[in-house]
Amino acid sequence: MRVAVFLTAIASVTAFNVTVTNHWNGGFQGKFSINADHAIYGWRAHIVCNNPLDKLEVLKADLTETRNGNKEFVLESKPFDANIADGGSQEVDFICHFTESIVPNCAVTVNSGRSHSQYPGQQTALPFPSEQRRTQGNGTRLSRAVSAMKYDYAKALSLSILFYDAQRSGKLPPHNHIPWRGDSALHDGDNGHDLSGGWYDAGDHVKFNFPMAMSTHTLLLGFIKFQDVYKHFHQKDMMCDMIKWPLDYFLKCWIPSQQTYYFQVGDPNKDHSFWGRPENMHMDRPAFKITPAHPGSDVAGDTASAFAAGHIAFKTICGNAAYADTLLQAAKSIYDFAKNHQGIYSKSFPQGGYGSNGFKDELSVAAAWLYQATHDAKYLNDAKQFHETGYLLYEITKNVTYKNEIIHYVKDNKPGGTATYTPCGLLWKDQWGSNRYAANGAFIALLAAVDGIETHDYVTWAMSQINYLLGDNNYGISYEIGFGSKYPQHPHHRGSACRTTTTQCSFADPGPNPNVLNGALVGGPDAHDHYEDRRDDYVKNEVACDYNAGFQGALAGKIKK
Ligand SMILES: *[C@@H]1O[C@H](CO)[C@@H](O)[C@H](O)[C@H]1NC(C)=O
Ligand SMILES: *[C@@H]1O[C@H](CO)[C@@H](O)[C@H](O)[C@H]1NC(C)=O
Ligand SMILES: CC(=O)N[C@H]1CO[C@H](CO)[C@@H](O)[C@@H]1O
């Protein structure tokens, strides 16, 4: 196996391939990426510097040896994040601290495969043989879940709303619901254009509009569809308040007169090298925009969906007609922008954290939402024209072609379809945020069930997934923080992990997070139901706006059916 190493590092263009572009008195930030031309299961990196460092800090790898008077360091991949797919790459950030006035030069060599077999858990991340996938979880385990209201789903729903309130960036309102959060990133903007507000994406503090907009319209779909559940459990006002936050932010990001849409604030590299509360961060937070010359119909399309769905919610549920009108105008203009200037945003902006490989789906969903908001036939025609897959088109037309797509999707997710199941019965699609895929699948099944497709069967299956997440699993834990008596204590989330009383915060602090991140659905178990509550395992323990979106809709749908 050969691995190529590129130092894109942030240190002076002298010897040893290291470039320091960002150093301060006593420190510099570096990064290397491992590009794999074969699948890699574990790697080791050897860093050699010409001057001693006081300390080397790494987040995404373990520092296993320090040699030669602090000039040489050995890093090893984390057991739960050791694998790099063929053609994939992994970036490793590090921060060096030194006392000499001369900036040290460092070089890195990387070997794939581990020299020590110190990680007994290594094989858990390896793919299953395909025969095993098919035979697991054929439905027999699911039957025990069928006991109507086994958990307090309304409580789980109300907690999920609070998770989004904990993700708020900008100037918090007087009624802020999260006691350990304060104002942050008040100066986000570009040349005097204010871009404060919105949601932090996950455990980090970048604002990525692509997942933010997708989460917003997914949450709104569940809210509109299951609004009586929100009303019955007195969550309507909380939800209207929660969902207005990203919508207000998108209104700041979209400047129709200039055909400009800001889709990201924050540089993932700079952001990820800081472990502290958003209230204490001081790194540069650049803003990125799409324009007709650098289009992004994917991110603009999802934002149009958020605006149009927001229009319906604020007009028909939240009782704010003026705001609903503002949202509709924005939905129409950004949809035109997305449709008239077609392109994939991540092609123009590789520094974006979330890639995209197309935009037809986003345009179709946006047009379908706009049709629901306006009943203007031109939007329905567009929705059909751009359509790839979709639930909304079935809602609108009841056409059997679209119905069959939904049936096919759910069938594929259920036992007996092509999807992988854990031995305990969780639909498992990926090691990153495995819980989210199960929750999304449950949400779609419940939407279909409410529309009369295979009702009983779909509800039973969706309930098995939700119950797994809330406690029907091998550990008897809830993967939603704050729910029940046993839940994750160490989510990978800086605001939750750092104390409010000091600006010092150590990633390696062994204690539970001092601030409880109520409502967050953590990443989830591996394909063997194996999970560890460790902050450094961001694969299983990160949280994110998009993880909770389908989950919250599924909880409301579960109560409804
Ligand atoms: C599949 O279901 C049958 C009963 O219908 C059961 O005997 C068998 O053990 C199940 N297989 C798995 C892997 O759960
Ligand atoms: C349903 O949709 C399909 C695909 O767009 C189309 O070919 C078909 O004519 C539609 N059926 C009806 C009854 O409108
Ligand atoms: C990846 C890379 O930039 N490698 C360079 C490191 O430095 C040596 C010697 O200066 C070059 O030959 C490599 O191409």
Coordinates of all heavy atoms in Angstrom, one line a residue, residues 384 399-402, ligand 2:
K384 N -41.9 18.5 -11.3 CA -41.9 17.2 -12.1 C -40.7 17.1 -13.0 O -40.1 16.1 -13.1 CB -43.2 17.2 -12.9 CG -44.4 17.0 -12.1 CD -45.6 17.0 -13.0 CE -46.9 16.8 -12.3 NZ -48.1 17.0 -13.1
N399 N -50.0 10.7 -7.5 CA -49.7 9.9 -8.7 C -49.0 8.6 -8.2 O -48.1 8.7 -7.4 CB -48.8 10.8 -9.6 CG -48.4 10.0 -10.9 OD1 -48.1 8.8 -10.8 ND2 -48.3 10.7 -12.0
V400 N -49.4 7.5 -8.8 CA -48.9 6.2 -8.4 C -47.4 6.0 -8.6 O -46.7 5.3 -7.9 CB -49.8 5.1 -9.0 CG1 -49.5 5.0 -10.5 CG2 -49.6 3.8 -8.3
T401 N -46.9 6.7 -9.6 CA -45.5 6.6 -9.9 C -44.7 7.1 -8.7 O -43.7 6.4 -8.3 CB -45.1 7.5 -11.1 OG1 -45.9 7.1 -12.2 CG2 -43.6 7.3 -11.5
Y402 N -45.1 8.2 -8.1 CA -44.4 8.8 -7.0 C -44.6 7.9 -5.7 O -43.7 7.7 -4.9 CB -44.8 10.2 -6.7 CG -44.6 11.1 -7.9 CD1 -45.7 11.9 -8.4 CD2 -43.4 11.1 -8.7 CE1 -45.5 12.8 -9.5 CE2 -43.3 11.9 -9.8 CZ -44.3 12.7 -10.2 OH -44.2 13.5 -11.3
Ligands
LIG2 C1 -47.7 10.1 -13.1 O1 -46.4 10.6 -13.2 C2 -45.7 9.9 -14.3 C3 -44.2 10.4 -14.2 O2 -44.1 11.8 -14.1 C4 -46.3 10.3 -15.6 O3 -45.6 9.6 -16.7 C5 -47.8 9.8 -15.5 O4 -48.4 10.2 -16.7 C6 -48.5 10.4 -14.3 N1 -49.8 9.7 -14.2 C7 -50.9 10.5 -14.1 C8 -52.2 9.7 -13.9 O5 -50.9 11.7 -14.2

